[in-house]
Amino acid sequence: FLCPAEDGIRSKLVTGVQTCALPSCWFKNSGVLAIQMLIFGSLSLAFVVSLKTYWGRNKTWILYLAASTGYITVIGASSRGSQLGLLLILVLFALRSKNGIKGLIGISVLGLLLYFFLPEEQMARFTEMGDDASSLQRLAYWEIGLSIIQENPVWGIGYKSWLPYVTMLYPDGIPPLNIVQVPHSIYIEAASEL
């Protein structure tokens, strides 16, 4: 993740307002990393499942372990949305397998293990979901994003223009945290910018 820290500095110089711009790199935050790892894990798992009959047992298990690294990263990234997405993916994979019920039982056992081994802070994020400041901040971003989409339905506000545009609209930040960040929604960001 060798990323120059110039973008965060540049946003303050250009707009005059401190924003939470992150450096330019592949993964701008743990949520983006987790989404990419969901994609990687799912594609890898599908690849291994579809070709396992052509490989030996050892090679198959090594590739299963390699595919699982994406899912392990999702757990470690502590992104609630991605972890819920992981649960959905695992349930769908289990239902599509020959042993669907056994797979669901296995996922349930894995879920219980994770429940007991995840840190309390991570479990608290799930119980507070929707009421915590982070959730309320994201809802505020999404409302602003939807209004931007309505105001600029055809051309958007321009590629990578979310931070400068929203900072211009809300120079003191957006309540409840009074900061300006990316909208934390790929869909809102893409629809408002492009």
Side-chain angles (χ1 to χ4, degrees), residues 151-166:
E151 293 168 8
N152 305 284
V154 177
W155 303 112
I157 56 173
Y159 181 63
K160 290 199 175 240
S161 294
W162 173 272
L163 283 174
Y165 187 81
V166 174

Side-chain angles (χ1 to χ4, degrees), residues 110-161:
L110 180 65
L112 285 173
L113 286 173
L114 284 175
Y115 178 79
F116 289 114
F117 287 110
L118 280 177
E120 273 189 46
E121 296 85 15
Q122 179 63 26
M123 295 310 295
R125 292 190 71 210
F126 281 104
T127 58
E128 297 170 356
M129 193 164 38
D131 296 327
D132 62 319
S134 175
S135 297
L136 297 173
Q137 187 72 32
R138 289 174 190 213
L139 288 172
Y141 291 146
W142 298 346
E143 287 177 15
I144 291 166
L146 291 173
S147 68
I148 290 172
I149 294 166
Q150 287 177 341
E151 293 168 8
N152 305 284
V154 177
W155 303 112
I157 56 173
Y159 181 63
K160 290 199 175 240
S161 294

Side-chain angles (χ1 to χ4, degrees), residues 3 12 20 36-37 49 55 65 78 80 137 140 145 151 154 175:
C3 307
K12 184 172 183 179
C20 293
Q36 294 296 326
M37 292 299 107
V49 167
W55 301 324
L65 287 173
S78 72
R80 292 178 291 201
Q137 187 72 32
E151 293 168 8
V154 177

Side-chain angles (χ1 to χ4, degrees), residues 46-60 63:
F47 179 75
V48 174
V49 167
S50 65
L51 295 175
K52 68 183 177 183
T53 58
Y54 300 103
W55 301 324
R57 187 176 193 174
N58 291 338
K59 185 175 186 178
T60 300
L63 292 171

Side-chain angles (χ1 to χ4, degrees), residues 24-141:
S24 290
C25 56
W26 289 350
F27 308 117
K28 296 216 178 273
N29 58 44
S30 64
V32 174
L33 169 65
I35 290 168
Q36 294 296 326
M37 292 299 107
L38 276 177
I39 295 168
F40 164 76
S42 300
L43 290 175
S44 300
L45 184 59
F47 179 75
V48 174
V49 167
S50 65
L51 295 175
K52 68 183 177 183
T53 58
Y54 300 103
W55 301 324
R57 187 176 193 174
N58 291 338
K59 185 175 186 178
T60 300
W61 280 107
I62 289 171
L63 292 171
Y64 271 129
L65 287 173
S68 71
T69 60
Y71 295 148
I72 292 167
T73 303
V74 170
I75 300 298
S78 72
S79 168
R80 292 178 291 201
S82 297
Q83 289 173 348
L84 292 173
L86 174 60
L87 176 65
L88 178 65
I89 288 168
L90 293 176
V91 167
L92 290 175
F93 265 113
L95 290 175
R96 303 250 329 150
S97 72
K98 293 178 188 174
N99 304 320
I101 300 300
K102 289 181 185 177
L104 286 176
I105 292 170
I107 290 171
S108 299
V109 170
L110 180 65
L112 285 173
L113 286 173
L114 284 175
Y115 178 79
F116 289 114
F117 287 110
L118 280 177
E120 273 189 46
E121 296 85 15
Q122 179 63 26
M123 295 310 295
R125 292 190 71 210
F126 281 104
T127 58
E128 297 170 356
M129 193 164 38
D131 296 327
D132 62 319
S134 175
S135 297
L136 297 173
Q137 187 72 32
R138 289 174 190 213
L139 288 172
Y141 291 146

